[in-house]
Amino acid sequence: MAATGSEKQGTKAYYVSTPIYYVNDAPHLGHAYTTVAGDVLTRWHRQRGEKVWYLTGTDEHGQKIMRTAEANGVTPQEWCDKLVEEAWKPLWEHLEIANDDFIRTTERRHTDRVQEFVQDLYDKGEIYKGGYEGPYCVGCEEYKLPGELLDGEGEYAGEKLCPVHKKPVEILKEENYFFKLSEYGPKLLEFYESNPGFIQPESARNEVVNFVKQGLQDLSISRSTFDWGIPIPWDEKHVIYVWVDALLNYATAVGYNENPAKFEDTFPADVHLVGKDILRFHAIIWPAMLMAQGLPVPGRIAANGWLMVGGEKMSKSNLTGIKPQDLTSHFGVDAYRWYFLRAIAFGQDGSFSWEDFSARYTSELANDYGNLASRVAAMVGKYFGGSLPEAAADGEAEKAVQAGLAKAVAEADRKIGEELDFQGGILAVFDFVKQVNGYITEQEPWKVAKDESEEGRARLATILYTAAESLRAVAVLLNPVMPDTSQKLWDSLGAEASLGALAGQRVQDAAEWGGLPAGSTVTKGAVLFPRLEEPNKA
């Protein structure tokens, strides 16, 4: 997305990242959930007139990738290239993700800088050589503590299982290099205490704090039992642990050791969006690595919950993975972007069902929002030939609508822009939509239209102007969530001719009543949210 003229050059960008996703398979709804949330957040900040940097990408090293590639009869690099170009990037384009960069951990701009970072820690005495034996989950690419493991049942009876993947762990014994993570426990606890908003939600923060209080073990940062990874620069028999490699993408993608000006203007991230299953890596290992290197730590680690289907976390490993395209082909991309952030409180687990999506689509999008836009355009066309009339008879009812808009803008801006409460912000906007619907019902413009006196025409004009001006504001507020639909509404209101492109409208402008000038040409365009046919489930 192009930068707006209101951005202040030279100021630090509002930097948001998603996790970089493993390319062992195609993306599912869980990956898309986090990425859409980041997109809405960064679009919102762009509409504040801020300089923004939104990063996503793919994690392409490690044993899991190597085994998946071998199972498919190709090299790891060939597998990664295929998945990135045929699955990951096309999906983000399909979902209208406006990321500023896409980092791949097999790129030289990343691998060279990772080696430099690790070499620097080694030279500082933060890394030493040792041995380790313990239970290892290939799916998590992580050694597990014995107390975390589950007892296997059925086909896995007598074995210990990873609590995330529910599959047996492997006992690994190898000579590794270790980062002195244990020394950073007190520093981390002090940092958490001084920055209570660093980890969100509160339940996630408590989990991390309690874990660190139990004492941290030094972190194995290399592997010598396979070779698909970035070589340790001083000992190429080892490759760098995939999580150390992956976490550094947040630095390498914005110019670490390569573009000092960009790095200074962007790093550290203001918000790292992560799944709660990878919270510890981001809230413990990542800040400790940065502290060791003398670099600033991120502003916030925000952990979203799991998407559940039938009570199970959605993932490929438990066969509940659903392709986003399965839903967008039926509901549309904008409704998809809206639904998950509307239906699920960010930071909590949430259940998805086709029936719930259908019900919310019909009730809130089609009936409340889409029908409002259609009715207003139709009445302006019928009673004023499509030319938006001037409001000449404002009263208490109109003042109530204006106050409702000011409240919705302030609440949505606070909730989405600051608190990452996407559900709360969207609901604030839709409460205003309901208020405008109620206003029209109460004012009964179809009855007022029968009064052909000067006072009657003035009253009718005021009602329809109030409704259309409300829709102008709604188009701006929902643009980060549903950009295509908002653009259609903007065009229908004739706003671009007088107000300019929707992309240039600021969130703050939405609250300025009277932005849509009288005389704008209002047209009844395509239905924003068409009636859905039941899918053929034969």
Side-chain angles (χ1 to χ4, degrees):
M1 178 178 288
T4 64
S6 58
E7 291 176 356
K8 297 177 182 177
Q9 299 303 316
T11 58
K12 183 190 176 306
Y14 183 75
Y15 175 20
V16 176
S17 74
T18 71
I20 50 172
Y21 303 109
Y22 276 129
V23 292
N24 58 309
D25 213 328
H28 57 61
L29 296 186
H31 304 119
Y33 175 55
T34 308
T35 309
V36 169
D39 188 61
V40 170
L41 178 62
T42 47
R43 283 177 181 265
W44 192 273
H45 278 265
R46 286 191 188 100
Q47 282 197 206
R48 284 178 164 184
E50 299 173 17
K51 184 164 67 173
V52 169
W53 196 258
Y54 183 33
L55 175 69
T56 189
T58 44
D59 186 359
E60 303 182 11
H61 288 130
Q63 194 170 17
K64 181 162 58 174
I65 302 295
M66 185 180 74
R67 289 183 178 180
T68 302
E70 289 172 350
N72 285 273
V74 295
T75 68
Q77 189 66 64
E78 288 172 335
W79 179 255
C80 294
D81 291 346
K82 176 181 174 65
L83 265 290
V84 168
E85 296 303 326
E86 296 181 9
W88 291 88
K89 285 185 176 180
L91 178 61
W92 298 159
E93 292 172 8
H94 175 64
L95 294 179
E96 299 193 43
I97 305 300
N99 53 296
D100 296 282
D101 195 4
F102 188 102
I103 182 77
R104 298 181 57 184
T105 57
T106 52
E107 294 175 322
R108 285 290 298 273
R109 64 169 172 154
H110 176 75
T111 58
D112 289 356
R113 304 290 87 76
V114 169
Q115 286 187 311
E116 291 165 3
F117 187 100
V118 172
Q119 180 71 60
D120 199 23
L121 288 184
Y122 182 69
D123 293 343
K124 290 177 178 177
E126 296 284 349
I127 293 174
Y128 65 91
K129 196 172 188 177
Y132 192 82
E133 180 177 8
Y136 188 79
C137 172
V138 174
C140 291
E141 298 280 10
E142 179 188 22
Y143 280 107
K144 296 293 183 180
L145 297 175
E148 294 180 287
L149 301 179
L150 305 177
D151 292 322
E153 299 177 353
E155 64 174 312
Y156 297 137
E159 298 187 81
K160 293 294 185 179
L161 309 184
C162 166
V164 176
H165 292 90
K166 309 294 193 301
K167 290 187 177 179
V169 295
E170 301 176 16
I171 301 300
L172 293 188
K173 182 179 181 180
E174 57 182 332
E175 182 183 69
N176 293 332
Y177 287 92
F178 289 81
F179 168 57
K180 296 178 180 178
L181 181 64
S182 61
E183 296 183 2
Y184 287 87
K187 295 178 183 177
L188 288 168
L189 290 173
E190 181 181 351
F191 178 75
Y192 301 152
E193 182 70 25
S194 302
N195 299 273
F198 175 64
I199 304 169
Q200 295 181 351
E202 184 70 18
S203 58
R205 180 183 185 277
N206 293 338
E207 175 198 323
V208 169
V209 169
N210 290 336
F211 183 83
V212 176
K213 282 182 176 179
Q214 294 172 17
L216 297 176
Q217 297 181 348
D218 288 345
L219 176 70
S220 171
I221 63 113
S222 74
R223 297 289 182 270
S224 57
T225 54
F226 61 91
D227 61 1
W228 181 239
I230 302 173
I232 291 281
W234 64 87
D235 187 348
E236 295 201 349
K237 295 193 299 292
H238 294 252
V239 294
I240 296 170
Y241 174 40
V242 67
W243 266 106
V244 172
D245 166 2
L247 288 165
L248 280 166
N249 93 90
Y250 305 127
T252 63
V254 294
Y256 171 74
N257 260 19
E258 186 172 28
N259 186 337
K262 180 178 179 181
F263 190 71
E264 183 177 350
D265 286 349
T266 313
F267 196 84
D270 293 85
V271 180
H272 285 312
L273 298 175
V274 303
K276 66 179 182 180
D277 50 336
I278 56 172
L279 174 64
R280 289 182 189 173
F281 298 100
H282 288 81
I284 299 174
I285 297 173
W286 180 224
M289 288 167 54
L290 294 172
M291 289 175 179
Q293 196 66 290
L295 292 172
V297 300
R300 184 171 5 176
I301 310 293
N304 60 258
W306 287 338
L307 292 185
M308 316 291 284
V309 174
E312 288 282 332
K313 177 197 172 189
M314 188 176 298
S315 68
K316 290 295 180 183
S317 60
N318 63 19
L319 304 181
T320 58
I322 298 174
K323 292 190 299 182
Q325 295 92 330
D326 294 340
L327 300 180
T328 60
S329 62
H330 183 68
F331 295 99
V333 169
D334 270 12
Y336 176 96
R337 290 170 58 95
W338 167 86
Y339 170 75
F340 287 97
L341 298 182
R342 158 63 184 90
I344 300 168
F346 196 78
Q348 300 178 18
D349 293 346
S351 294
F352 160 78
S353 75
W354 188 280
E355 293 75 16
D356 183 60
F357 198 160
S358 294
R360 293 184 188 275
Y361 178 100
T362 300
S363 173
E364 298 178 43
L365 294 184
N367 293 349
D368 288 349
Y369 181 27
N371 191 42
L372 173 63
S374 296
R375 292 167 73 199
V376 172
M379 286 189 286
V380 173
K382 180 177 180 180
Y383 300 129
F384 292 95
S387 179
L388 185 65
E390 184 177 355
D394 277 358
E396 291 303 315
E398 287 69 44
K399 290 178 183 177
V401 172
Q402 294 171 31
L405 173 59
K407 177 184 177 184
V409 173
E411 191 169 339
D413 192 32
R414 184 184 77 255
K415 287 185 177 294
I416 295 176
E418 302 301 331
E419 299 172 7
L420 276 58
D421 178 3
F422 301 102
Q423 183 185 64
I426 290 170
L427 285 175
V429 179
F430 273 79
D431 282 346
F432 176 66
V433 168
K434 290 179 180 179
Q435 181 182 357
V436 178
N437 273 314
Y439 165 80
I440 291 177
T441 299
E442 291 170 3
Q443 300 305 313
E444 300 180 312
W446 48 89
K447 288 187 179 179
V448 176
K450 296 177 182 178
D451 181 355
E452 297 182 359
S453 69
E454 186 175 335
E455 292 80 5
R457 292 293 289 174
R459 185 70 202 137
L460 179 62
T462 299
I463 296 168
L464 294 184
Y465 179 85
T466 298
E469 168 64 357
S470 297
L471 285 170
R472 172 202 64 84
V474 170
V476 174
L477 293 172
L478 291 180
N479 189 38
V481 183
M482 297 187 283
D484 186 55
T485 302
S486 292
Q487 185 63 55
K488 289 177 181 176
L489 177 56
W490 194 253
D491 295 341
S492 171
L493 295 170
E496 187 149 343
S498 54
L499 298 179
L502 176 58
Q505 304 300 304
R506 300 186 308 163
V507 169
Q508 304 92 303
D509 299 335
E512 297 297 322
W513 189 263
L516 187 62
S520 297
T521 300
V522 178
T523 55
K524 189 175 182 181
V527 175
L528 296 184
F529 300 101
R531 180 179 177 274
L532 298 175
E533 298 294 333
E534 280 299 310
N536 183 4
K537 297 182 179 180

